[in-house]
Amino acid sequence: MKQRDEMVLLGHGSGGRMSQRLIEKVVIPALGDSIVEGALEDASSIAQVDGEMFFSTDSYVVDPIIFPGGDIGDLSVNGTVNDLAMRGAQPVALSLALILEEGLPMDDLAKVVTSAGKAAIKAGVKIVCGDTKVTPRGSCDKIFINTAGIGVARSDLNISATNATVGDVVIINGAVGDHGSAVMLAREDFRLTSLVRSDTASLNHMVANLVSAGINIHVMRDPTRGGLATSMVEIAESSKVSIRLDESAIPVKREVMAACEILGLDPLMVANEGKMTVFVPARETEKTLSIMRSHPEGEDSAIIGEVVEGIEGRVTIRSTVGGLRIVSRLEGELLPRIC
Amino acid sequence: MKYLDAFRDRELAESLAVKLRLTSKKLPRPITLMEVCGTHTMAIYRHGLKSAYVPDNVRLVSGPGCPVCVTPMGYVDAAISLSHRNDIVIVTFGDMARVPGSNSTLARERAKGADIRIVYSPIDAVAMAEKEHGREFVFLGVGFETTAPTVAVAILTAERDGVKNFSALTAHKVMPEPMDALTEGELKIDGYICPAHVSAIIGEEGYRPLVAKRKIPCVITGFEPLDILQGVTMLCKQIVDGRAEVENQYRRVVRPEGNRKAQETLNTVFVKSSARWRGLGDIPDSGLSIAPAYSRYDAAIKFSITFPDVKENKACLCGEILRGLKEPADCRIFGNACTPETPIGACMVSSEGTCSAAYKYGHQTV
């Protein structure tokens, strides 16, 4: 028998010898230093933490599983790490559950799990437990991943989507629309080649820098599905405030703008996986910007708007050409399976 | 200067707006201009042009230029009943999948198990048919002079490659005829902002008979904000001067004669026919039917389909909105019963529909 199978078979999810071989020969080596000892036990213990604990989970079904700038592996780690970070929390433990389709090439599995491990190491979090299931061909598409994460934040922080206050400045850490357009363009449907790459990245280190500098962060949000527009509306509604954006200040890469024009999309509605908006009182703007800009994930940080008096839940934007319009959340699905 | 930025430049917009204001001051009366095309409607809303730059005595109304919006419900019902057949795969553009028929949508039928596939080019349907010999692939051909040539090419490709299990269920339409019909309607239209993409196919020539017959100013206009401001100014100028001509603001794309190659392809596969428009009724010569020589690719003939005559929801004002008589806000169900999530009228379904644009980008009262 060969040391490693070429593709995932139903037996790899049996819990028996084939499962063991898959875990030992493929998954664990691929995860490398990102897993803790004892990750194969039924449950892992987590060291006592000091501060407020946060818990988050997310499932990933992106198609294709490998796209320019990333794959479903690093996406699934970064996504949960960022969800924790948006509450000011640093991740302390992650779970990684894989649902595989029979027939998935073993090389693809190894690649995806390797990038999940690398992303965890980069974010400074350990994978403490996991699971692998295999479904018959056609029951799932190649690979679905669920990650859950526990994080800890300083108890004196109060970062929440309900905290936007009139006078706050809205800052974003870079250009919007990269991830969604990269994934769409990577699909065979369009037969387009482009320079657009996903922005998938973990943001917790940049958040840690903001927190340790004592920035009074009111709100942080990662504008994933539904894009910047949807996340702004959610914050305006949760905080019962009005938000005014300036379209010409929102960074959009030229290639993303071009892709969106061709596909008929609004870059403000397109998903991001390495972006965050930060709401801070105006007097903290410069300090916040300089901290963010000194981090690799925040070099292109920009002020894109402010929280203003007005109708609760209303987001407006001054368009590049000078008109004023309402920003609304994404309705329905722009395109399915973007993350 | 970058292409897109150049046509969205604020300073240029402001100087164009000054020109527009000066011209509009000379207008003999308040005027109504119709942007026939949904993409214009969308651009006007998205860039907030009306409130920022368009003078009060120039009213812009949206017209019937959203292909999904003007497709009658009976067509959707016919497509849905076709999708119930196990041997048939329905292939369509994404927008069509969400259009409500009498009782369902293609998207709902897909969730229940019908094989409905969304593509970005009709040619994809021919390729699918070639791969799966055992099944019939029916492409839903909806759209104006811009999309019809692509369906024509798909049919010609199927013929060339001997693909027999491909056909198209078409409800294609042409633009100048309803523009002509609308000049006789209840709304007095003083000028047309002519669609950019359709004009790229039919050219300036496409509107000459309309202008000769109705003496109505027509300006072919691009989709960027500066294009639109300039197009509106040119229309005002024609009215001030007492002229009625076809003018071309969008010369960087539209040639006087249009795209001859596309016209030839269109005329090879399609013939003009009477067509039913949602909101406008039957308009002679406003539709494109598959020519007899290609009838074996006509799904309506192949599967003996008749389009049922369906009553529209009474509360929905799509018809009036498509004729420029009403605004979305005039509709009782706009924004409550009828939203992009749960559309009742077609104007809310299509991303280019007037109601969808109004819902998404808000009215001018920001």
Side-chain angles (χ1 to χ4, degrees), chain A residues 189-191 254 257 261 266-267 269 314 316 318-326 328 331-332 335, chain B residues 2 4 8 10 13 45-49 51-53 120 124 225 340-341 359-362 365-366:
Chain A
D189 310 355
F190 297 110
R191 289 186 217 106
R254 198 178 176 199
M257 185 66 97
E261 285 294 321
D266 182 346
M269 297 272 189
R314 170 70 55 93
T316 55
R318 174 68 65 189
S319 72
T320 309
V321 76
L324 196 62
R325 67 159 162 94
I326 287 174
S328 55
E331 296 280 340
L335 259 195
Chain B
K2 293 175 197 166
L4 281 175
R8 293 176 186 176
R10 188 163 174 177
Y45 274 106
R46 177 172 161 191
H47 298 289
L49 294 185
S51 55
Y53 296 124
Y120 300 89
D124 293 347
E341 197 94 299
Y359 187 91
K360 197 168 164 196
Y361 293 133
T365 50
V366 188

Side-chain angles (χ1 to χ4, degrees), chain A residues 212-289:
Chain A
S212 62
I215 300 286
N216 179 15
I217 304 166
H218 288 171
V219 184
M220 278 193 289
R221 256 297 159 89
D222 53 340
T224 53
R225 280 175 303 172
L228 180 65
T230 305
S231 78
M232 286 297 118
V233 175
E234 285 167 359
I235 293 166
E237 287 177 357
S238 304
S239 296
K240 301 189 170 57
V241 294
S242 203
I243 298 174
R244 170 70 58 90
L245 300 173
D246 177 3
E247 190 177 27
S248 58
I250 300 171
V252 183
K253 289 185 184 132
R254 198 178 176 199
E255 59 268 28
V256 171
M257 185 66 97
C260 286
E261 285 294 321
I262 291 169
L263 302 176
L265 305 173
D266 182 346
L268 302 189
M269 297 272 189
V270 177
N272 308 281
E273 289 292 342
K275 289 296 155 340
M276 61 185 225
T277 53
V278 189
F279 288 57
V280 294
R283 63 178 180 281
E284 308 221 17
T285 310
E286 287 312 314
K287 196 174 168 192
T288 308
L289 267 179

Side-chain angles (χ1 to χ4, degrees), chain A residues 123-270:
Chain A
V125 61
K126 291 286 184 188
I127 292 166
V128 302
C129 58
D131 179 48
T132 305
K133 294 284 186 328
V134 181
T135 66
R137 204 177 178 103
S139 297
C140 94
D141 189 9
K142 299 183 210 47
I143 177 165
F144 294 163
I145 299 183
N146 173 274
T147 56
I150 293 171
V152 61
R154 252 174 35 202
S155 311
D156 60 333
L157 296 181
N158 180 15
I159 302 168
S160 155
T162 59
N163 288 346
T165 312
V166 173
D168 281 357
V169 165
V170 185
I171 300 171
I172 193 158
N173 65 321
V176 298
D178 295 8
H179 175 75
S181 23
V183 170
M184 286 182 213
L185 291 168
R187 292 190 189 159
E188 286 178 10
D189 310 355
F190 297 110
R191 289 186 217 106
L192 292 170
T193 50
S194 84
L195 302 167
V196 183
R197 293 168 61 82
S198 168
D199 58 347
T200 179
S202 53
L203 301 168
N204 59 312
H205 296 310
M206 186 163 54
V207 169
N209 293 349
L210 291 172
V211 169
S212 62
I215 300 286
N216 179 15
I217 304 166
H218 288 171
V219 184
M220 278 193 289
R221 256 297 159 89
D222 53 340
T224 53
R225 280 175 303 172
L228 180 65
T230 305
S231 78
M232 286 297 118
V233 175
E234 285 167 359
I235 293 166
E237 287 177 357
S238 304
S239 296
K240 301 189 170 57
V241 294
S242 203
I243 298 174
R244 170 70 58 90
L245 300 173
D246 177 3
E247 190 177 27
S248 58
I250 300 171
V252 183
K253 289 185 184 132
R254 198 178 176 199
E255 59 268 28
V256 171
M257 185 66 97
C260 286
E261 285 294 321
I262 291 169
L263 302 176
L265 305 173
D266 182 346
L268 302 189
M269 297 272 189
V270 177

Side-chain angles (χ1 to χ4, degrees), chain B residues 129-328:
Chain B
E130 222 171 348
K131 267 194 216 151
E132 294 179 55
H133 287 294
R135 307 183 70 194
E136 285 288 337
F137 287 75
V138 178
F139 183 79
L140 302 184
V142 169
F144 299 113
E145 290 94 331
T146 37
T147 36
T150 65
V151 174
V153 168
I155 288 173
L156 293 174
T157 305
E159 187 191 41
R160 185 196 68 199
D161 298 346
V163 181
K164 296 199 169 69
N165 55 334
F166 166 83
S167 59
L169 187 67
T170 64
H172 287 296
K173 294 181 168 55
V174 293
M175 220 54 269
E177 278 72 11
M179 290 166 73
D180 179 86
L182 278 167
T183 58
E184 288 190 329
E186 299 147 71
L187 180 75
K188 160 92 177 108
I189 299 166
D190 298 291
Y192 280 122
I193 300 170
C194 298
H197 294 161
V198 164
S199 304
I201 307 293
I202 69 174
E204 296 169 23
E205 288 170 13
Y207 305 97
R208 296 216 192 278
L210 166 71
V211 169
K213 182 175 164 196
R214 301 292 183 184
K215 306 280 178 285
I216 186 163
C218 283
V219 175
I220 295 166
T221 306
F223 288 132
E224 290 301 320
L226 296 191
D227 291 324
I228 295 170
L229 289 177
Q230 192 177 23
V232 171
T233 311
M234 289 165 76
L235 280 167
C236 288
K237 188 85 176 39
Q238 282 202 38
I239 295 165
V240 168
D241 296 348
R243 290 179 289 129
E245 298 166 8
V246 185
E247 286 185 303
N248 188 356
Q249 182 278 334
Y250 198 37
R251 283 197 192 144
R252 64 183 187 276
V253 171
V254 176
R255 293 193 295 260
E257 74 282 9
N259 182 336
R260 290 273 190 238
K261 174 91 187 152
Q263 291 168 18
E264 277 164 30
T265 310
L266 196 76
N267 293 332
T268 305
V269 176
F270 291 104
V271 288
K272 278 200 173 180
S273 60
S274 175
R276 175 154 299 182
W277 294 63
R278 204 169 191 171
L280 305 181
D282 293 328
I283 302 174
D285 289 336
S286 69
L288 294 169
S289 302
I290 295 174
Y294 295 92
S295 61
R296 62 194 179 283
Y297 298 104
D298 189 340
I301 293 173
K302 194 172 189 177
F303 303 107
S304 319
I305 294 165
T306 48
F307 298 108
D309 212 354
V310 187
K311 285 253 180 306
E312 305 271 343
N313 185 313
K314 272 189 199 146
C316 172
L317 293 187
C318 268
E320 284 86 343
I321 290 167
L322 290 168
R323 294 200 297 273
L325 295 173
K326 292 270 161 83
E327 303 269 344

